[in-house]
Amino acid sequence: MAMVSAKGSPGVTTTALACTLSWGERTVLAECDPAGGSILSGYLSSLDIPPIGLLPLAAAALRDQLSDVFARQLVDLDADHPGRRLLLPGINDPVQAGTIRPTWEPLAAFFSELERGEDGYDVIADCGRLTTSAPPWPFLFRADLVLLVVRTATLRTIAPAAAAAELLRRELTQHGQGHGGLALALIGDGPYSRRDIEQRLQLPTLMELPDDRRTAEVLSDGGGRLRGSQQLLRAAASAEPAVREAIARRRAHLVPTSSTGSSHGR
């Protein structure tokens, strides 16, 4: 699965992290945002983590050594269940995006195979905002499901999503995926109902998350423990069945010989 947002509607990383921490299957959260990853400097800022992640993995892709180095580029997010929820940190400087751009396709293909075998993983690709100069399209094209993350607080955050939805529909269709695997993840409450937003964007909603600022701040900035009601994590967990059902329906309609694969791992 891949997640992306439009201009003026952030929240992709927090949403992806909430799903990774609350869903039941073994999961790798891959920070594929060309603008740079934020989890090491935010949620995990209290830890001293060496420079691992997407950049070394991209270098390994150029040497055809992805399988050899992949495990060493991961950070374990769950001390209680080692190896269950893992993070592949993103780049720390947007300048590095030009270096890794030629490896998007082999990396996306590698991620699509991570579910294979007894110890397989689902992959959630955090692709950031579509307003970057070069979105990581290979991850979006290979995804079983692309979620457009939209904050519903005001028209200012909803309006840019219309252009993003149209761009995604066009690009996914042109690359043979169609837009049947495109849906919304809505954050917070606002003056517009879910139905209003769906009609405006011409997309169904698969996930609705509350504006749980206390939990979101910890996931975004770190500096505290996840405690209290954790409405955000509970809502993310409750969305998992619908997401998996949508992916299963999507896969059921894919041609078995298709070479496009999957970026979610499920």
Side-chain angles (χ1 to χ4, degrees), residues 79-232:
D80 295 330
H81 303 91
R84 189 175 185 84
R85 312 178 196 280
L86 303 173
L87 167 71
L88 177 70
I91 57 177
N92 55 32
D93 187 335
V95 174
Q96 297 170 335
T99 302
I100 63 175
R101 192 173 301 132
T103 67
W104 284 139
E105 179 57 40
L107 286 171
F110 178 77
F111 291 166
S112 74
E113 295 298 318
L114 282 180
E115 73 167 328
R116 314 298 180 190
E118 185 176 344
D119 296 327
Y121 282 89
D122 292 343
V123 176
I124 298 176
D126 171 1
C127 295
R129 301 188 193 186
L130 283 176
T131 51
T132 60
S133 59
W137 286 111
F139 296 106
L140 298 170
F141 296 152
R142 284 183 173 268
D144 286 316
L145 178 67
V146 177
L147 285 183
L148 177 60
V149 180
V150 180
R151 299 192 69 88
T152 64
T154 66
L155 183 60
R156 182 181 61 82
T157 61
I158 298 172
E166 182 56 34
L167 175 61
L168 286 166
R169 275 192 291 266
R170 182 173 67 248
E171 291 293 331
L172 291 173
T173 299
Q174 288 180 354
H175 285 79
Q177 292 296 296
H179 57 268
L182 180 60
L184 299 173
L186 303 181
I187 302 177
D189 296 315
Y192 301 96
S193 69
R194 167 177 168 169
R195 178 171 294 184
D196 289 337
I197 296 171
E198 289 177 335
Q199 290 179 342
R200 184 182 184 93
L201 303 183
Q202 292 297 295
L203 289 174
T205 300
L206 278 183
M207 185 181 302
E208 290 184 273
L209 303 178
D211 188 12
D212 176 7
R213 298 190 180 185
R214 180 174 298 180
T215 302
E217 285 176 1
V218 174
L219 295 181
S220 176
D221 303 324
R225 291 186 176 184
L226 291 170
R227 62 182 67 184
S229 64
Q230 298 180 20
Q231 293 179 336
L232 175 57

Side-chain angles (χ1 to χ4, degrees), residues 1 11 28 36 44 46 67 79 96 113 130 145 165-166 185 225 231 235 247 255 260:
M1 179 174 73
V28 173
L44 298 180
S46 62
S67 298
Q96 297 170 335
E113 295 298 318
L130 283 176
L145 178 67
E166 182 56 34
R225 291 186 176 184
Q231 293 179 336
I247 290 173
V255 178
T260 52

Side-chain angles (χ1 to χ4, degrees), residues 21 43-44 47 75-86:
L21 294 176
Y43 179 61
L44 298 180
L47 303 180
V75 178
D76 203 321
L77 297 173
D78 190 343
D80 295 330
H81 303 91
R84 189 175 185 84
R85 312 178 196 280
L86 303 173

